[in-house]
Amino acid sequence: RIFFALSLLLLVYAIARPLRSPRLQQQQQQLTRIMSAASAEIEVQQLPWITTPESKGIFSMFRLWPRPAPTKDSHAAELALLQSGGIAASTPQTAGATAPNSDDVVAELLDVDIDDNGNYIHTLAIRRGANAGMSSAASETSKTAARHSLVMTHGYFTGLGFFFRNYKELARVDGWDVYAIDWLGMGRSARPAYTSNRTSDEARVGGAEAFFVESLEEWRKRVGIDKMTLCGHSFGGYMSTLYALKYPEHVEKLVL
């Protein structure tokens, strides 16, 4: 019976997959045009330091992590989204390639390595001082060295673009560096291998929680932040709370 049910499920999936409604086709064509326009406008190059292997075949739907979009497309979409929120973002490889608008806030997009196995956390960094300055519109506040670090963590299976309308105003607050991350396995962060410990419910949940909490702690070390204010939405609030419980010495405040 199990074999028959699985066979029927795969058959339905194989038949239904090529069937697309006219509305869905129209939406996909519109998205393609938007992505092409964004890529042309910002002259996006394939980023050599990120690999996004694509799963092929019918069994790709059983992957633990969602398949990432091709690097060029996801990078173009991210830049266009941030730009719509008044953030002129660049990578270390493209810094200074284009001049931001006069009222934009300048930011960096970084892939922060968290181990020696190629795993990284994709990061938006709006930092004061010589490394990443503000635009002229925020020049008065950028003269003051940051005394605090705000780290924004998104909800389940979203990404740092979730807060794209908030970054500009937050960046104008005097004395703060603003960071946002993509959790591992989400957004444009790495898709590491993960094996669940199923010996008990406690071990399974504890292992999943540690997976995210410890990656955040390693990210903090690599970025060089001593104390941070964690702002977490949904799943991000859950993990930020767990982090604060384990590493209270590195948390200034929690915003949930």
Side-chain angles (χ1 to χ4, degrees), residues 2-239:
I2 294 176
F3 178 78
F4 176 77
L6 288 175
S7 300
L8 182 60
L9 176 63
L10 292 174
L11 178 62
V12 171
Y13 176 81
I15 294 174
R17 188 176 184 183
L19 299 179
R20 299 177 179 176
S21 67
R23 182 179 178 183
L24 178 58
Q25 290 179 346
Q26 184 179 6
Q27 291 174 339
Q28 290 177 332
Q29 291 171 358
Q30 182 179 10
L31 178 60
T32 300
R33 287 195 298 270
I34 293 173
M35 295 302 303
S36 299
S39 298
E41 180 179 352
I42 57 184
E43 297 181 355
V44 176
Q45 307 267 329
Q46 182 74 26
L47 307 183
W49 67 95
I50 302 176
T51 57
T52 54
E54 295 188 14
S55 296
K56 297 181 179 179
I58 193 170
F59 293 103
S60 63
M61 64 179 175
F62 296 111
R63 283 172 53 88
L64 176 61
W65 304 128
R67 186 182 69 189
T71 301
K72 181 177 179 180
D73 291 346
S74 62
H75 182 56
E78 184 176 55
L79 290 181
L81 180 64
L82 292 172
Q83 182 66 55
S84 70
I87 301 298
S90 63
T91 67
Q93 287 77 5
T94 62
T98 58
N101 296 326
S102 60
D103 61 342
D104 282 348
V105 169
V106 176
E108 290 178 292
L109 287 170
L110 309 168
D111 290 326
V112 179
D113 293 327
I114 59 169
D115 58 28
D116 297 326
N117 300 318
N119 293 316
Y120 55 87
I121 288 181
H122 187 61
T123 304
L124 175 73
I126 305 173
R127 299 186 285 199
R128 301 175 185 277
N131 291 330
M134 298 291 181
S135 66
S136 58
S139 59
E140 291 303 314
T141 58
S142 66
K143 293 177 182 178
T144 305
R147 300 183 302 274
H148 308 281
S149 295
L150 173 67
V151 179
M152 305 180 72
T153 63
H154 61 80
Y156 192 61
F157 281 142
T158 59
L160 61 84
F162 185 82
F163 304 108
F164 78 101
R165 292 188 182 274
N166 305 115
Y167 295 130
K168 187 172 183 177
E169 293 306 314
L170 289 171
R172 297 186 188 281
V173 180
D174 192 17
W176 286 80
D177 285 341
V178 179
Y179 298 88
I181 65 169
D182 286 340
W183 290 109
L184 281 183
M186 307 180 205
R188 299 189 64 222
S189 286
R191 266 57 172 172
Y194 178 77
T195 302
S196 177
N197 184 345
R198 298 184 177 276
T199 56
S200 66
D201 288 343
E202 291 78 7
R204 179 172 56 84
V205 173
E209 292 174 342
F211 177 83
F212 294 104
V213 169
E214 297 309 319
S215 66
L216 178 58
E217 169 61 4
E218 192 59 37
W219 175 89
R220 181 198 65 80
K221 294 178 183 176
R222 302 287 180 114
V223 175
I225 300 173
D226 181 28
K227 278 196 148 186
M228 55 188 173
T229 292
L230 287 171
C231 176
H233 169 255
S234 189
F235 174 85
Y238 172 24
M239 291 301 144

